[in-house]
Amino acid sequence: MRVTNGMMTNNLLKNLSDNMERLDKFNRQLSTGKKFDMPSQDPTGVVTSMGLKSTLNSNEQYIDNIDQALTWTSTTENALKNATKTLQRTRELAVYGANDSLSDSDRNAIADEVEQLREGLTEVANTDYNGRYIFAGYKTTTEPYPTADSNYQGDNGAIDREITRGVEMKINQDGAFFKGVFDEMKDLVTDLRNGNGDAISNTRIGNLDKKLNKVLRLRSEIGAKQNRLELTKSRLDEDKIKFKKLLSKNEDVDIAETIMNLKMSENVHRAALSSGARIIQPSLMQFLK
């Protein structure tokens, strides 16, 4: 095939254009730190990045949900712990108050303390987190027990949080059970003031034990949920690190390698310019002759 000066010039210009594109590519990668910044530069890489970013965003949301759930359940656990202490003290007073040797004055003093414990328990039942009542079911803006003698004002609605894809957890506990505790403590006060030691021994103490066991079961359930939340969060944190590494591998340039590629491209470009000058100059002189 006959190679003409025009063909050589066209090839030279094409090669110079390709070199300039490579120089621009490496310069852009060094300035942005990314392998691509437009979909057309690497369609497959862009799709991969979009998938990884979507996964990371979901991961972040699950972690946020778990943090909310942990705070909510921790607040619930602390409240139930206080309720446990209240019931334990109430039971101690009931055992003491069942003693037939006590005077009316002694029993009235015990009854006064139980009444104070009962009033204090309303504060526990009305515990709030961030302005939301934790024992009100779904009616978190409604105070569950305005007084110790009130009926339960909340509902049994569940507050759920998605802790991983397709998995939701109920994080709240309704406070309907407090009503039974309040009533039992009120009956204990009545028996104490009436000097009814047999009722305290045969009924009140046993009923208080049932209420106490109910609270302890709830605490156990909350604790199990907290353990599960902690384990799930730990796994999500590990996944977050893994996906970020994959995203970095897919998007971020190797600076040292890119600098080397840039220098090589610069050398190739200079060589092309040098050889091109030798090709074009004689051809131009011949044309002028």
Side-chain angles (χ1 to χ4, degrees):
M1 182 181 69
R2 181 171 177 268
V3 179
T4 65
N5 288 332
M7 293 172 61
M8 294 176 64
T9 300
N10 288 337
N11 287 335
L12 172 65
L13 294 176
K14 180 181 180 304
N15 291 334
L16 288 173
S17 177
D18 291 343
N19 290 337
M20 290 297 292
E21 287 183 7
R22 282 193 293 271
L23 285 170
D24 178 63
K25 171 187 173 182
F26 296 132
N27 273 315
R28 187 174 60 250
Q29 288 181 347
L30 284 175
S31 63
T32 63
K34 300 295 182 181
K35 295 177 181 177
F36 49 84
D37 51 17
M38 291 187 294
S40 59
Q41 293 167 357
D42 188 350
T44 301
V46 169
V47 170
T48 300
S49 288
M50 289 175 63
L52 289 170
K53 287 177 180 178
S54 176
T55 301
L56 279 168
N57 288 337
S58 297
N59 184 288
E60 289 283 359
Q61 185 60 60
Y62 297 143
I63 291 175
D64 287 344
N65 291 347
I66 289 175
D67 285 338
Q68 292 177 28
L70 284 170
T71 303
W72 190 283
T73 54
S74 177
T75 304
T76 303
E77 159 59 20
N78 286 335
L80 291 175
K81 181 169 66 175
N82 289 330
T84 300
K85 292 178 180 179
T86 298
L87 278 168
Q88 288 173 335
R89 177 57 181 165
T90 301
R91 188 187 187 282
E92 291 173 2
L93 293 172
V95 171
Y96 183 46
N99 191 334
D100 290 335
S101 64
L102 293 176
S103 66
D104 290 343
S105 176
D106 292 334
R107 287 197 178 92
N108 282 327
I110 295 172
D112 289 341
E113 184 175 349
V114 173
E115 284 185 334
Q116 290 301 311
L117 289 171
R118 186 169 179 260
E119 290 299 321
L121 191 60
T122 62
E123 297 176 11
V124 175
N126 292 328
T127 298
D128 71 282
Y129 161 64
N130 224 10
R132 302 172 69 190
Y133 294 104
I134 65 172
F135 291 116
Y138 205 72
K139 298 168 66 175
T140 56
T141 59
T142 301
E143 191 175 43
Y145 292 96
T147 70
D149 293 316
S150 301
N151 288 323
Y152 178 51
Q153 302 299 306
D155 59 22
N156 62 352
I159 297 176
D160 298 322
R161 289 290 181 272
E162 188 175 14
I163 60 173
T164 188
R165 187 172 64 179
V167 178
E168 292 190 346
M169 175 184 287
K170 178 185 175 184
I171 65 172
N172 69 321
Q173 170 62 51
D174 71 76
F177 70 94
F178 278 107
K179 177 60 177 172
V181 179
F182 289 134
D183 291 345
E184 197 59 44
M185 294 177 76
K186 184 176 182 179
D187 290 340
L188 175 60
V189 170
T190 300
D191 288 339
L192 284 166
R193 298 204 186 281
N194 292 336
N196 196 346
D198 288 340
I200 295 173
S201 297
N202 298 330
T203 304
R204 300 293 157 244
I205 293 175
N207 288 348
L208 286 170
D209 284 338
K210 292 178 182 177
K211 304 303 180 186
L212 181 58
N213 288 335
K214 168 68 174 178
V215 174
L216 292 175
R217 283 197 303 273
L218 292 176
R219 290 182 66 185
S220 177
E221 291 173 7
I222 293 293
K225 287 182 178 181
Q226 288 178 312
N227 290 337
R228 181 182 175 189
L229 288 168
E230 292 285 1
L231 288 173
T232 303
K233 183 179 179 182
S234 178
R235 178 178 60 79
L236 289 171
D237 284 336
E238 292 175 0
D239 288 346
K240 180 179 176 181
I241 294 173
K242 178 182 68 177
F243 289 130
K244 281 190 172 182
K245 286 182 177 178
L246 290 173
L247 183 62
S248 176
K249 183 178 180 181
N250 186 62
E251 288 188 351
D252 297 340
V253 297
D254 184 323
I255 298 297
E257 181 181 355
T258 304
I259 290 174
M260 182 181 66
N261 289 335
L262 177 61
K263 290 186 177 297
M264 289 178 60
S265 295
E266 288 174 344
N267 291 335
V268 169
H269 187 62
R270 279 194 290 266
L273 288 173
S274 177
S275 64
R278 289 194 294 272
I279 292 172
I280 294 175
Q281 186 175 11
S283 300
L284 181 59
M285 293 301 295
Q286 290 173 7
F287 174 77
L288 293 174
K289 290 179 180 180

